[in-house]
Amino acid sequence: MQNSTKLFRQHPRIFFLSLFSLGTILGIYFFLNHIIFTKALRKSENQFNQNQYLQTRIAAQGIKEVLKGIERSVTILSSYSLVEFLEGKRSASSLENLFGIQLQEHNYLRAYAFFPAPGTSRLFQKSGSSAGDRSLDLAREWSITYWKDDSSSSSEKGPFFLPPYLQKEEQYLGILHAVRTGGVFRGILLAVLDLHRLSLDYITPLRSGEYGAGFLLSGKGDVLYDHEVDIIGKNIFDGLHRAFPELLKLDERLVTEPSGKAEYTFFLARGKKETRKLIAWHEVNVGNLHLVVALSAPDMEIEVALRETRLFQFLSTTFLLLFVGGCVFFFSRWNASQDIRENEERLKLALQGNQDGLWDYNPLTGHSFYSLRWKEMLGYTEKEIPHRFEEWFSRIHPEDRERTLEDFQKHLKGETPSYENEHRLLCKNGTYKWIHTRGMVLERTSQGTPKRMLGTHTDIDSRKRNESELHRFSLAVEQSPSAILITDMEGTILYVNKSFERITGYSRQEVLRENPRILKSGKQDPQMYRELWQTIREGREWRGEMVNRCKNGSEIWVRISISPVIDETGTITSYVGIQEDITDLKNKEKDLEILATTDELTGLHNRRRFMNYAKEEQKRCKRYGHSMGLVMFDIDHFKNINDTYGHDAGDLVLQKLALLARENLRETDIVGRLGGEEFGILLIETNMPSAFMVIERLRKTLENSTFTINEKLLNITASFGIAFCSKEFPAETVDSLLKEADQAMYHAKENGRNKVAFFRREAKRAEIINAMSEESQSGFRNNVSPEV
């Protein structure tokens, strides 16, 4: 103190300049430290939140694909298979087999049931479990609750999702589709899927941090799934978040915005205090169903870790500056005691390591020193842990003890330049915490025996948990049933998962650094690829279906979703593609479409497909002024053939008639079986004379053909009726046009000799004329188009 006073008296300017410099350095440090910490904290939070965002997007995409697949199956079964059953074209056992196939195809489906009346199922199929029984009971209850009469149900165009059934341990979702034949309401088809099982597969794996968890909401705010089962079925707007106006605003965003990231403050029951949380979400829209997949987590792990780092940086730098200032101000205190020098050495080591806890070990005596922060990491106060070596060693996790001691002994023996190890230490509350320790021998005896060793402890428990969560997330991506690939901005493949290798046949080594165009089949319009690149380069997600070529040359249908990955600055850094093999589904859809549109006996278009073609052609006639002829014909006295030779013979006649019709009509003409022995023909862009020539050729071919039935030769005839739709005389509907052709056909049948008749509409009258009359034939001969 006397030396300091003497310095002040002899050199006052140097003294005050030293103080001013020291104060300036401290001020600049405090300011820069605050800016750096704030930026580091925000960057870590953004990365943490982006990880949540990616997890919810993948989960939402998976749920959407599952629901869309089930919705598509319900549509096909209701619109085609059930219609065939109700029309007598398919047996009940065949339809129930289809139900069973769908239950096997979709893991989350538990029951199918057709209800022709409320509460009364005519056909059903369920999974062989208690969930299947429960699903069938729910379907019966829903059929009563949501039953609509014919008039109100007829307005529904497709399947719609029912409000979910929610209990703590079971949640189910129903899909209802009205079934109609010929525009007449015949009942409803109900499919029930296990929403709880779906949530366990897609929502439960969503994790971030120790307390972060995923949850599933409906578009109205109902909690469909949460790890806290007590709030399942409750509504977030109905009292659950009433005490938090800020959180209610976020709830509105959850159910209105398609996706997003945010932060909010919430009262955490665990710990009885408010905490700030990070949340990310993605919506799932399928038909009338609106779901929200969300993942929230407290930011305490990020913030606490950074705040401790900031605190230690602050303390260490402050100590450094104070030490430098002390050296300048108290340079006369060079003969300080040995205890002070040892404390300074401990401080220097702490500054060098920039770590939290400090320890000092004397191998000769076994005495150890543990700093207050070292003890606080484990939940102890300063006086609760004695300064003995065994206090550290006995707390090491049994699985880590051998490896830790081995690294420690190697450094004491001089085999390694420093000691560094990661292990778990037992805390006061009975849990284990991951610690990163570093140390170095500073003094040895003349014989080389370690005399003093100093080191630090760093709490890395949060980092270890984050690494574990990231590893779990990586495993989820790697083991996803969908093929996932990641490319850079130019489309170069950086990563593919195992499902990509399984689906395409290419190994990971074969496709890395390649372009996804190696899968190109050449069956897509180049315009589609241009639109794809334009969409993702604009930062938007592209979805679609395409045909890809595998390594072995086979082609598969895939459903693809490609999304840009955007960093915190808004810059696109890479692209993530998710694709699902839907080849089997496409083949089944094609088979179902053929079954739904083709007559099984003759192979011609059935009545439904034929009428659809006719309606489309009528629209073209109105728009472009074309003429169109609709022909109806049937076999004369067909009943006698069935009665005399049997129905098998009648079927052979119908099959041969269909073959003759296809062979003797033009490529542009469309022929279909309307029912029984009745057939229809659409003559596209054809006038009356041309129509006569086409039908007359078919009529003569049919009359000149011989049918062999039971070794007997049989000749048959057919009667034809033709009605026209043109710009001058348009038909009101296809049904009215078909009725006119039917009238003309029966006129031809009753006429006996003349087998072709036309229904002619004029401005104020309509009549049927025989194409075989002398007057009509003369008119047709003079007006027949030379192109026919």
Side-chain angles (χ1 to χ4, degrees):
M1 189 65 182
Q2 293 177 355
N3 292 334
S4 301
T5 304
K6 183 178 179 181
L7 174 65
F8 172 70
R9 291 175 179 176
Q10 293 179 353
H11 305 283
R13 298 181 63 183
I14 296 177
F15 178 80
F16 285 113
L17 182 61
S18 299
L19 288 180
F20 176 78
S21 300
L22 182 60
T24 302
I25 293 173
L26 283 173
I28 294 174
Y29 165 73
F30 294 151
F31 177 72
L32 292 178
N33 186 72
H34 176 73
I35 294 177
I36 294 172
F37 172 75
T38 303
K39 184 176 180 181
L41 177 62
R42 178 55 59 185
K43 182 176 181 181
S44 296
E45 287 179 347
N46 289 339
Q47 292 174 348
F48 191 80
N49 210 191
Q50 179 67 16
N51 177 276
Q52 293 177 296
Y53 185 79
L54 290 175
Q55 288 192 62
T56 57
R57 185 178 69 80
I58 292 175
Q61 178 69 18
I63 292 175
K64 185 171 184 179
E65 297 302 332
V66 168
L67 294 178
K68 287 186 69 175
I70 295 176
E71 181 189 47
R72 188 180 299 108
S73 299
V74 171
T75 300
I76 294 173
L77 290 172
S78 300
S79 302
Y80 300 109
S81 303
L82 266 170
V83 170
E84 290 180 347
F85 167 72
L86 294 172
E87 291 178 347
K89 299 178 182 178
R90 179 184 289 275
S91 65
S93 60
S94 173
L95 190 55
E96 288 183 335
N97 286 338
L98 275 180
F99 288 170
I101 291 173
Q102 292 302 314
L103 291 179
Q104 295 175 3
E105 289 289 332
H106 302 287
N107 295 333
Y108 306 105
L109 271 176
R110 294 295 178 261
Y112 266 113
F114 170 63
F115 295 89
T120 303
S121 60
R122 186 174 178 184
L123 297 168
F124 67 88
Q125 191 67 269
K126 63 183 180 67
S127 62
S129 64
S130 58
D133 296 331
R134 182 60 176 150
S135 298
L136 197 58
D137 292 338
L138 283 174
R140 189 172 295 105
E141 294 174 10
W142 284 337
S143 72
I144 299 173
T145 304
Y146 299 100
W147 186 268
K148 297 180 180 180
D149 60 22
D150 188 7
S151 59
S152 62
S153 295
S154 61
S155 63
E156 301 290 348
K157 300 300 183 182
F160 65 92
F161 290 83
L162 304 177
Y165 172 83
L166 302 175
Q167 294 296 328
K168 289 184 178 180
E169 298 299 333
E170 57 179 13
Q171 300 94 41
Y172 295 93
L173 188 63
I175 309 176
L176 184 149
H177 197 298
V179 181
R180 299 172 186 81
T181 57
V184 178
F185 177 74
R186 301 292 298 275
I188 60 175
L189 175 65
L190 268 169
V192 182
L193 64 93
D194 192 338
L195 185 59
H196 181 75
R197 184 70 260 172
L198 184 67
S199 300
L200 290 179
D201 288 347
Y202 285 94
I203 305 301
T204 301
L206 298 180
R207 302 292 295 178
S208 56
E210 182 178 356
Y211 302 118
F215 55 92
L216 183 67
L217 298 177
S218 72
K220 296 181 180 179
D222 296 321
V223 180
L224 305 184
Y225 180 81
D226 192 277
H227 69 286
E228 294 184 0
V229 296
D230 289 337
I231 67 172
I232 293 178
K234 295 183 179 180
N235 190 281
I236 57 177
F237 299 106
D238 189 15
L240 199 58
H241 296 162
R242 184 178 299 166
F244 301 91
E246 178 185 357
L247 189 52
L248 287 174
K249 293 180 181 179
L250 176 60
D251 292 339
E252 291 289 345
R253 292 182 60 194
L254 282 176
V255 299
T256 56
E257 296 182 8
S259 63
K261 297 179 288 186
E263 61 182 52
Y264 64 94
T265 302
F266 187 65
F267 185 80
L268 189 65
R270 186 188 299 106
K272 306 295 184 181
K273 62 179 181 179
E274 286 190 348
T275 182
R276 192 165 67 92
K277 287 192 173 186
L278 303 177
I279 187 171
W281 70 90
H282 270 82
E283 70 174 10
V284 178
N285 282 319
V286 180
N288 68 305
L289 182 64
H290 180 198
L291 303 178
V292 179
V293 178
L295 173 59
S296 70
D299 64 346
M300 61 179 67
E301 287 108 359
I302 298 173
E303 188 171 355
V304 168
L306 286 177
R307 288 192 185 279
E308 289 180 352
T309 301
R310 181 192 181 197
L311 177 61
F312 193 82
Q313 288 177 341
F314 167 75
L315 293 176
S316 62
T317 307
T318 301
F319 286 142
L320 176 62
L321 292 173
L322 289 175
F323 176 73
V324 173
C327 289
V328 174
F329 188 70
F330 301 105
F331 67 92
S332 61
R333 304 287 302 274
W334 57 271
N335 58 343
S337 64
Q338 180 66 26
D339 291 338
I340 295 177
R341 285 198 296 269
E342 289 180 358
N343 288 334
E344 288 176 352
E345 289 175 355
R346 291 169 183 167
L347 179 60
K348 290 179 182 178
L349 183 61
L351 296 175
Q352 292 173 357
N354 196 23
Q355 306 297 328
D356 292 334
L358 179 67
W359 53 269
D360 189 341
Y361 173 54
N362 186 335
L364 298 179
T365 63
H367 180 270
S368 295
F369 168 81
Y370 305 112
S371 69
L372 175 61
R373 180 61 186 140
W374 190 99
K375 300 174 183 178
E376 288 177 343
M377 285 185 197
L378 306 180
Y380 292 95
T381 63
E382 183 175 8
K383 296 181 179 180
E384 287 184 298
I385 297 182
H387 294 281
R388 297 194 303 267
F389 177 80
E390 292 76 13
E391 295 296 331
W392 164 67
F393 187 73
S394 63
R395 286 177 170 81
I396 301 177
H397 193 284
E399 295 179 1
D400 304 335
R401 191 170 295 163
E402 182 178 353
R403 173 177 50 83
T404 303
L405 183 60
E406 181 182 355
D407 293 343
F408 193 79
Q409 292 294 340
K410 282 183 178 180
H411 179 63
L412 289 178
K413 294 176 182 178
E415 297 178 6
T416 57
S418 63
Y419 164 66
E420 185 170 353
N421 183 268
E422 291 182 358
H423 55 268
R424 288 162 288 180
L425 285 183
L426 181 64
C427 299
K428 184 177 181 180
N429 60 6
T431 63
Y432 281 92
K433 177 178 289 188
W434 277 99
I435 298 295
H436 185 188
T437 181
R438 295 173 178 172
M440 182 179 296
V441 174
L442 296 183
E443 296 183 34
R444 293 181 182 270
T445 64
S446 58
Q447 291 80 21
T449 303
K451 182 179 180 181
R452 186 183 181 195
M453 184 175 181
L454 295 178
T456 58
H457 272 192
T458 303
D459 184 352
I460 60 170
D461 200 59
S462 296
R463 192 197 79 191
K464 282 289 188 179
R465 287 200 303 269
N466 290 338
E467 289 176 352
S468 177
E469 293 298 329
L470 289 175
H471 179 66
R472 189 180 299 121
F473 175 72
S474 300
L475 287 179
V477 172
E478 183 66 15
Q479 298 175 10
S480 170
S482 300
I484 299 176
L485 72 158
I486 301 176
T487 72
D488 63 12
M489 293 292 295
E490 302 303 321
T492 302
I493 298 176
L494 305 177
Y495 167 82
V496 296
N497 66 350
K498 293 181 180 179
S499 292
F500 180 93
E501 296 177 304
R502 173 178 54 80
I503 292 174
T504 65
Y506 287 101
S507 67
R508 184 172 301 177
Q509 291 72 23
E510 290 176 315
V511 298
L512 290 181
R513 315 310 302 175
E514 295 289 341
N515 191 283
R517 68 173 62 95
I518 62 175
L519 305 175
K520 193 174 181 181
S521 65
K523 294 192 174 182
Q524 267 67 50
D525 185 355
Q527 178 63 25
M528 185 200 72
Y529 292 106
R530 288 191 289 269
E531 292 175 357
L532 183 156
W533 277 105
Q534 181 180 355
T535 299
I536 61 178
R537 282 172 175 166
E538 291 175 355
R540 296 181 288 115
E541 182 184 24
W542 182 90
R543 298 177 182 177
E545 297 179 352
M546 64 175 64
V547 179
N548 277 349
R549 179 173 285 112
C550 300
K551 180 181 179 180
N552 61 7
S554 62
E555 294 178 348
I556 59 172
W557 272 96
V558 292
R559 184 182 293 113
I560 297 180
S561 169
I562 303 176
S563 302
V565 177
I566 302 176
D567 63 15
E568 60 272 13
T569 66
T571 303
I572 299 176
T573 60
S574 56
Y575 299 108
V576 178
I578 302 175
Q579 67 179 25
E580 179 185 2
D581 185 354
I582 57 172
T583 305
D584 291 340
L585 179 61
K586 284 290 185 179
N587 292 335
K588 291 177 182 177
E589 288 179 351
K590 184 177 180 181
D591 293 339
L592 287 174
E593 181 180 2
I594 292 174
L595 290 174
T597 59
T598 305
D599 177 63
E600 293 183 359
L601 178 63
T602 63
L604 300 177
H605 299 304
N606 62 12
R607 185 183 185 92
R608 181 192 299 273
R609 173 57 68 88
F610 182 85
M611 294 300 289
N612 287 340
Y613 278 133
K615 291 174 182 177
E616 291 297 320
E617 189 58 30
Q618 183 202 19
K619 293 178 183 178
R620 293 181 66 250
C621 290
K622 290 182 178 180
R623 182 179 302 173
Y624 304 109
H626 298 157
S627 297
M628 176 189 77
L630 192 152
V631 182
M632 278 193 66
F633 69 100
D634 69 358
I635 302 172
D636 297 328
H637 311 298
F638 183 74
K639 184 176 182 302
N640 294 338
I641 297 176
N642 280 334
D643 293 343
T644 304
Y645 301 99
H647 289 281
D648 290 341
D651 290 345
L652 291 175
V653 171
L654 293 175
Q655 290 172 345
K656 186 168 183 180
L657 175 61
L659 179 62
L660 291 174
R662 282 197 293 260
E663 292 176 347
N664 289 275
L665 292 174
R666 301 169 300 182
E667 292 184 0
T668 57
D669 300 330
I670 298 172
V671 59
R673 184 185 179 194
L674 305 183
E677 72 272 21
E678 290 186 343
F679 295 85
I681 302 173
L682 285 179
L683 303 174
I684 310 300
E685 298 183 18
T686 304
N687 55 24
M688 271 185 144
S690 299
F692 170 74
M693 295 295 292
V694 172
I695 298 306
E696 182 64 10
R697 180 171 64 242
L698 176 60
R699 184 190 66 80
K700 289 182 178 180
T701 300
L702 182 60
E703 290 183 356
N704 294 330
S705 299
T706 301
F707 296 80
T708 303
I709 305 297
N710 296 337
E711 299 182 354
K712 294 182 180 180
L713 299 180
L714 179 66
N715 293 94
I716 64 172
T717 60
S719 299
F720 296 80
I722 309 176
F724 271 89
C725 174
S726 63
K727 184 177 182 180
E728 294 79 13
F729 303 103
E732 294 183 0
T733 63
V734 171
D735 291 333
S736 63
L737 195 66
L738 189 67
K739 184 176 181 181
E740 293 171 358
D742 185 68
Q743 293 176 7
M745 180 186 73
Y746 277 98
H747 180 81
K749 187 179 293 289
E750 293 172 358
N751 192 50
R753 185 174 60 88
N754 302 316
K755 292 297 183 181
V756 181
F758 286 81
F759 189 99
R760 183 170 63 183
R761 275 179 284 106
E762 295 182 354
K764 294 184 179 181
R765 66 189 182 90
E767 64 178 345
I768 298 176
I769 61 174
N770 285 318
M772 297 296 291
S773 65
E774 291 297 323
E775 178 183 359
S776 300
Q777 291 187 43
S778 175
F780 287 130
R781 293 191 190 100
N782 295 331
N783 292 282
V784 169
S785 170
E787 298 175 356
V788 180

